[in-house]
């Protein structure tokens, strides 16, 4: 389908520059990717029984007492959705965990929320693909 859209010129300029930098030579293709990303970012969250695949990325301060045990204990309760876990020691204080998840959206959201609430956890990002 061909569509025409209106956009502020600055937004289009930024979009073209950024998509060119990441390797898109075709604006239509870049817009299609942006549309798909928006759908996967938002649609799956409203269809909580839908199966999803993705990663929860957690930055935490490992010097906070009990945070590592708490994170591991919590993850044992979600072994039905956790496919893999990567742990990276960033520096003296900070650790990064990348938790690969696969399962029902409401379970994934529940795990991400519990992690976010833990003391010592500084940042949590949830990224879902192919919803
Ligand atoms: Ni570590």
């Amino acid at each position: 389908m061909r569509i025409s859209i209106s956009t502020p010129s600055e937004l289009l300029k930024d979009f073209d520059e950024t998509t060119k930098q990441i390797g898109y030579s075709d604006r239509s293709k870049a817009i299609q990717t942006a549309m798909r990303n928006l759908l996967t970012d938002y649609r799956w969250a409203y269809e909580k029984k839908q199966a999803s695949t993705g990663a929860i990325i957690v930055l935490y301060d490992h010097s906070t007492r009990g945070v590592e045990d708490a994170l591991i204990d919590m993850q044992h309760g979600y072994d039905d959705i956790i496919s893999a876990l990567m742990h990276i020691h960033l520096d003296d204080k900070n650790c990064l965990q990348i938790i690969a998840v696969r399962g029902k959206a409401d379970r994934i959201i529940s795990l991400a929320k519990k992690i976010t609430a833990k003391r010592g956890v500084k940042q949590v990002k949830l990224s879902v693909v192919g919803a």
Side-chain angles (χ1 to χ4, degrees), residues 40-92:
T40 52
D41 280 354
Y42 294 100
R43 192 171 56 188
W44 76 284
Y46 296 101
E47 295 169 16
K48 296 188 188 312
K49 297 295 170 197
Q50 184 178 309
S52 299
T53 309
I56 302 171
I57 302 161
V58 186
L59 175 68
Y60 66 93
D61 179 346
H62 88 149
S63 67
T64 302
R65 202 180 173 87
V67 66
E68 301 219 281
D69 283 347
L71 287 175
I72 296 299
D73 283 351
M74 183 192 303
Q75 288 169 29
H76 276 269
Y78 286 86
D79 62 342
D80 56 313
I81 57 159
I82 296 175
S83 313
L85 176 69
M86 187 186 284
H87 183 128
I88 300 148
H89 315 296
L90 294 177
D91 55 38
D92 288 350

